[in-house]
Amino acid sequence: MSLTRRRFLGWMGAAGAGTLVGRQAEAAANVHFTGYPDSFAVLHDITLCVGCRSCEAACNTVNELPPPNRPFKDLTVLDQHRRTTSKTYTVVNRFQPASQAPKSIFVKKQCNHCLEPACASACFVRAFKKSPEGAVTYDPTVCVGCRYCMVACPFEIPAYEYEKALDPKVMKCTMCHPRVKNGQLPGCVQACPKEALTFGKRKDILNIARERIHKYPQRYIDHIYGESEMGGTSWLYLSSVPFSQIGMREDLGTTPAPELTSGALGAVPIVVGLWPVLLTGIYAITQRKEKVSAEEQRLAVSQAVEHARQSAELDMVRAMEKAEKDKETAIKQAVKKAMDEAVKAQQEVKA
C-alpha cells in the first residue's frame, strides 16, 4: 500500500502519536544510493552554446508546461540571471568573464541528475529515486511536501508549487525519462541547433569529453564538471573558463550526498514518529485558537450591539428631553408674546 499525501495527512490528523511511531523512514541514514553503470548522460559543451533558448522551448513543449510570460525568441531575458522554477525546468544564463570579454558564455541549467542524489537521500518517503536510465525521478503520490529535497540539493534545483494550495508538487527536470525509455532523445538535446548537447551512455559521454579536451587543449579547461562532483552526475559540462566564473559551484568535493547527509538525517525516523504528535498538537491549538477567536468575536459583536442599543436609548432620551424643553420654551415665548400684544393693545385703547 503506497503512502499518499492524503493518507499521510489523514493519519496525522486522526491517529496522533500511535499511528506512525516506530515506522521506519527511508532517510539517508538507512538508504545508500548508487549509480547504474549503463545509465545515460548528457554532455553540455558550453563552448558551442549560442544562447538561442531552443532547449527551453523544447523542454516547455515536451513537458507540457505553461507558456512563459515572454516568448522564447526574446533573448532580452538573458540580461538577468535566472533559476529553474516549478514552471520552467531549464534556463539558459549568460555570463561575460573578464578573460573572454567581449564574448559571452551561455550555460544551460537544469537538474544534474546526480548518481547518488542528495534529494533522494533526504527524502524519507522515497519520492525521489535514481532510475537505471540515469534520470532522478519523482513520485508525487508519496510526497508529503516536507521539502527536504529542496534544502538538500546543492544545485538549488527542486522547485515547489507554492501557488497550489490543495495538491502542490516538487517540480524539476526529468531528463525526459519517458522519452528515453522509449528510445527517444531528451527534448532539449534533440532541439539544440549547435549540438551543444550530446546524449548517450555516461561512460561513452565521458570518453567523448576527454577526447575533446585532448584534441583541443586550447579550447577547454582540463576538467569535466560532473564527473566526480558530489559523487558524479548524469549531466556533464565542458567549459573554456573555470566553472566558478560561470555560476557553477566548485566547492562540492567528490563525496556522494548520502555520506554527507546520513548524520544530519539520521534522526528522521524519530522526526517521522513524532511528527503526528507535533502536528496533531498544532491542529488542536489551531482549533482552540479558532474557537476562542470565534467566541471573542461573538462577544465583541454582542458588546457592540448592546453598546449601540444603550447609546441609541440615551440619544432618544436626550432628544425627548430636548424636545420637551424646546416645547416648554416655545410655549413660554408664545405666552409672553401674547401678553405683550395684549398690554400693547390696552395702551393703544387708552390713548
Side-chain angles (χ1 to χ4, degrees), residues 205-343:
I205 292 296
L206 285 170
N207 289 333
I208 291 174
R210 294 190 188 101
E211 183 178 350
R212 290 186 187 181
I213 294 174
H214 177 74
K215 189 174 182 179
Y216 304 105
Q218 72 283 359
R219 178 188 298 178
Y220 303 101
I221 62 171
D222 189 9
H223 180 54
I224 305 172
Y225 192 95
E227 180 177 14
S228 301
E229 277 76 10
M230 294 293 293
T233 66
S234 294
W235 209 280
L236 307 167
Y237 298 83
L238 286 180
S239 174
S240 58
V241 299
F243 292 100
S244 59
Q245 295 182 15
I246 51 177
M248 300 175 70
R249 295 183 61 178
E250 291 189 310
D251 61 340
L252 298 175
T254 60
T255 304
E259 294 184 25
L260 297 175
T261 57
S262 60
L265 294 174
V268 166
I270 298 177
V271 173
V272 175
L274 294 179
W275 204 352
V277 181
L278 173 62
L279 293 190
T280 301
I282 293 175
Y283 176 78
I285 292 173
T286 302
Q287 291 295 100
R288 172 61 180 169
K289 182 178 179 181
E290 291 177 354
K291 183 178 180 180
V292 171
S293 177
E295 180 64 22
E296 289 178 346
Q297 185 177 13
R298 187 197 63 76
L299 181 61
V301 170
S302 176
Q303 291 176 343
V305 170
E306 179 64 19
H307 177 74
R309 185 188 65 78
Q310 293 178 357
S311 179
E313 289 181 354
L314 181 60
D315 290 342
M316 184 177 295
V317 170
R318 289 174 178 174
M320 292 179 65
E321 290 177 350
K322 184 176 183 302
E324 187 66 26
K325 289 181 180 179
D326 291 343
K327 181 180 178 180
E328 292 178 359
T329 301
I331 292 174
K332 289 180 179 179
Q333 290 177 347
V335 171
K336 184 177 183 302
K337 182 179 179 181
M339 293 181 63
D340 290 343
E341 290 178 350
V343 171

Side-chain angles (χ1 to χ4, degrees), residues 54-68 72 84-91 108-111 113 135-138 161 164 169-180 184-191 235:
S54 295
C55 56
E56 291 187 33
C59 178
N60 180 273
T61 300
V62 168
N63 292 288
E64 300 180 346
L65 299 173
F72 290 107
T84 58
T85 69
S86 61
K87 299 180 178 63
T88 307
Y89 292 173
T90 186
V91 295
K108 179 181 181 299
K109 182 176 184 179
Q110 71 297 301
C111 175
H113 299 278
V136 176
T137 60
Y138 167 70
E161 292 181 317
K164 294 186 178 181
K169 299 180 181 65
V170 177
M171 309 297 281
K172 73 171 190 67
C173 160
T174 65
M175 200 174 169
C176 288
H177 186 243
R179 289 173 58 89
V180 171
Q184 299 174 283
L185 291 172
C188 58
V189 176
Q190 183 172 324
W235 209 280

Side-chain angles (χ1 to χ4, degrees), residues 187-200:
C188 58
V189 176
Q190 183 172 324
C192 183
K194 296 297 182 178
E195 297 185 354
L197 301 173
T198 305
F199 178 80

